[in-house]
Amino acid sequence: MSSLRDAAMVSRAWPFEEARALLKRVEARGGSAPAKDHVLFETGYGPSGLPHIGTFGEVLRTTMIRRAFEVISDIPTRLIVFSDDLDGMRKVPENVPNAEMLRLHLQQPLTSVPDPFGTHESFGHHNNAMLRRFLDTFGFQYEFMSATEFYRSGAFDPTLRLAAERYDDIMAIMLKSLREERQQTYSCFLPIHPETGRVLYVPLKEVNAREGTITFDDGSGRDWTLPVTGGHVKLQWKPDFGARWAALGVDFEMYGKDHSTNTPIYDGICEVLGGRAPNHMVYELFLDEEGGKISKSKGNGLTIDEWLEYAATESLSYFMFQKPRTAKRLHWDVIPRNVDEYHQSLRGYPQQTPEQQLGNAVWHIHGGNPPASDMVVPFAMLLNLASVSGAEEKAVLWNYLRRYAPDASPETHPGLDAAAGYAVRYFQNHVKPMRTFRAPTDKERAAMVDLAARLRGHEGSHDPEELQTIVYAVGNEHGFQPLRDWFKGLYEVLLGATEGPRFGGFVALYGVEETVRLIEERLAA
């Protein structure tokens, strides 16, 4: 452990950088923060829509920092996944059924809104279950916490009573961030109407710190007085953020760039309520195909289940590890690339030094014990193989794979077998409908005729590098400069794609005779 810990203390991988900063915080722990014998990580989830990949990414990245911290420290850790399910449903999500029914329950807490899917106690319970099911498939070690239970069980009561006592201090922080018009009606407390069950955004007539109550007009001329405890009232979301940190004694929480300007508010309220603001990490947001922000309610990004329909879970983890502070497009075309880069990292891991291994994504994905890759061909190659073979099931791809790698089988190479199934599904749903072939230019036609002739007459081995040399030679002799124009022409004319794998490897996998036939068929089209 000592050599690993030494390497971790100087590793430039972002999880270790964050872990070292957190260790400094813990070593300097003091003030009025709650006394704990552990380090507490937290992630938050807003269950207003179906869980999406961004939610998962936050838990995964936090877990990576947690694991890195456990390498450099012996202090126990906990991770809480906190669901803000007492929030009122402000609008009906666009990607769920029974929209008309949901409109009848606007502004009610999500755990009071009927489940439009009809499978759970409420809409909030449904979305919480979706999140937990997915996190469980990854084997995350976490404790789930519901805001509804946190408020109604009394666990939050001491902090809420303190918020009533220090109401003016909290309001002073909040009012500085609000426009003048909003300042006139804002309160950090939101009453939940005793009759309608709706979360009310109304000005308060009184905050009684001694009694721990608020008084308000519900908009109909009726005054109500409610205790701030027991789930009768909830905090606005910004004060809730800081109050939760104080109540739980959170040491670390990351959040998206859209929250970054609120950090002083969260921190200030946490400190007003007797806590010590946690360490933060701000990550960039994921973008949709058009470069727009992904929204849970719109459902305009890839969902968790959509990614897993076309690739193994580790490829998604690999995507999440890469450059968390850089905005990245999250669309269908990122899946194949991340599958292949993940396996490249696996193959390179055994040859790396300990320092290099700690910087490799697969160390963080697999908790320091990555498996060996059994992908004898890249995923991109499987996609092209599915394309030219017209495969509708993975057994078709195995006809080629067995010839290319005689020792491979679905039993000995389960990862490759799964990838073959993913490739066929991905091709059928996302490549085939968009595939467009073009006619070759005169120069390309002459070169492809030459390539077919050379392959037909080739009597050497079917080694991918030897076949690649033939492809290179044809491109050079026909004057393609740069050579990528030659390969681009092969992909577009033969495969209906703008890019592809090393063509020599494709020939070796698909077969020399089959490739010659493919060239002749496309030139005759």
Side-chain angles (χ1 to χ4, degrees), residues 360-503:
N360 189 328
V362 300
W363 189 97
H364 300 272
I365 292 168
H366 296 284
N369 189 28
S373 172
D374 66 1
M375 289 284 286
V376 297
V377 297
F379 188 68
M381 189 86 77
L382 293 176
L383 286 175
N384 288 122
L385 184 60
S387 176
V388 297
S389 66
E392 295 186 359
E393 54 185 29
K394 63 183 178 182
V396 174
L397 302 191
W398 271 108
N399 291 334
Y400 299 95
L401 290 168
R402 286 191 182 91
R403 180 176 59 189
Y404 179 80
D407 294 335
S409 71
E411 293 72 30
T412 61
H413 290 63
L416 176 61
D417 183 55
Y422 291 135
V424 170
R425 194 177 303 130
Y426 188 93
F427 165 70
Q428 290 291 337
N429 295 341
H430 294 285
V431 176
K432 186 177 180 179
M434 307 296 293
R435 186 173 48 164
T436 56
F437 295 92
R438 68 168 175 83
T441 64
D442 291 343
K443 181 178 180 180
E444 289 169 340
R445 178 179 292 275
M448 289 180 193
V449 168
D450 188 5
L451 177 59
R454 295 194 194 194
L455 289 176
R456 189 183 300 109
H458 177 65
E459 296 181 353
S461 76
H462 288 180
D463 175 72
E465 291 304 319
E466 187 170 336
L467 295 170
Q468 183 78 353
T469 299
I470 296 174
V471 181
Y472 266 115
V474 172
N476 277 319
E477 292 175 23
H478 285 263
F480 286 92
Q481 292 297 330
L483 266 176
R484 65 173 174 268
D485 291 343
W486 164 230
F487 289 102
K488 187 171 185 287
L490 288 171
Y491 302 144
E492 293 177 349
V493 174
L494 302 182
L495 304 177
T498 57
E499 57 185 20
R502 286 174 61 84
F503 203 77

Side-chain angles (χ1 to χ4, degrees), residues 316-364:
L316 177 55
S317 299
Y318 182 89
F319 176 81
M320 293 297 173
F321 178 84
Q322 304 301 318
K323 299 180 180 178
R325 295 181 177 88
T326 301
K328 296 193 289 289
R329 285 178 63 254
L330 181 55
H331 202 63
W332 298 109
D333 57 2
V334 308
I335 296 177
R337 182 172 67 254
N338 280 274
V339 172
D340 282 336
E341 290 181 2
Y342 163 72
H343 283 280
Q344 288 170 8
S345 296
L346 278 183
R347 287 190 292 271
Y349 184 85
Q351 289 76 45
Q352 293 178 322
T353 65
E355 292 77 11
Q356 291 171 329
Q357 289 177 340
L358 292 181
N360 189 328
V362 300
W363 189 97
H364 300 272

Side-chain angles (χ1 to χ4, degrees), residues 168-231:
D168 290 341
D169 294 332
I170 294 173
M171 290 294 288
I173 293 172
M174 288 304 308
L175 292 179
K176 288 188 295 186
S177 69
L178 302 175
R179 297 189 302 272
E180 184 176 354
E181 180 182 356
R182 181 78 173 108
Q183 291 177 358
Q184 305 307 312
T185 60
Y186 181 86
S187 169
C188 65
F189 288 115
L190 300 178
I192 299 175
H193 198 288
E195 293 180 346
T196 67
R198 285 179 164 77
V199 179
L200 301 181
Y201 290 79
V202 293
L204 301 185
K205 289 189 170 184
E206 181 188 35
V207 176
N208 188 319
R210 185 172 59 85
E211 298 294 333
T213 61
I214 61 170
T215 300
F216 62 96
D217 181 332
D218 66 3
S220 69
R222 298 171 66 190
D223 282 357
W224 298 82
T225 297
L226 296 176
V228 297
T229 54

Side-chain angles (χ1 to χ4, degrees), residues 15 72 81 105 107 127 134 137 220 232 244 249 280 329 338 346 352 356 378 385 415 428 442 476 500 512 516-517:
I72 65 173
V81 177
H105 298 276
Q107 302 307 328
N127 290 344
F134 183 67
T137 67
S220 69
H232 296 93
R244 192 166 72 227
H280 325 104
R329 285 178 63 254
N338 280 274
L346 278 183
Q352 293 178 322
Q356 291 171 329
L385 184 60
Q428 290 291 337
D442 291 343
N476 277 319
V512 172
V516 170
R517 191 179 310 118

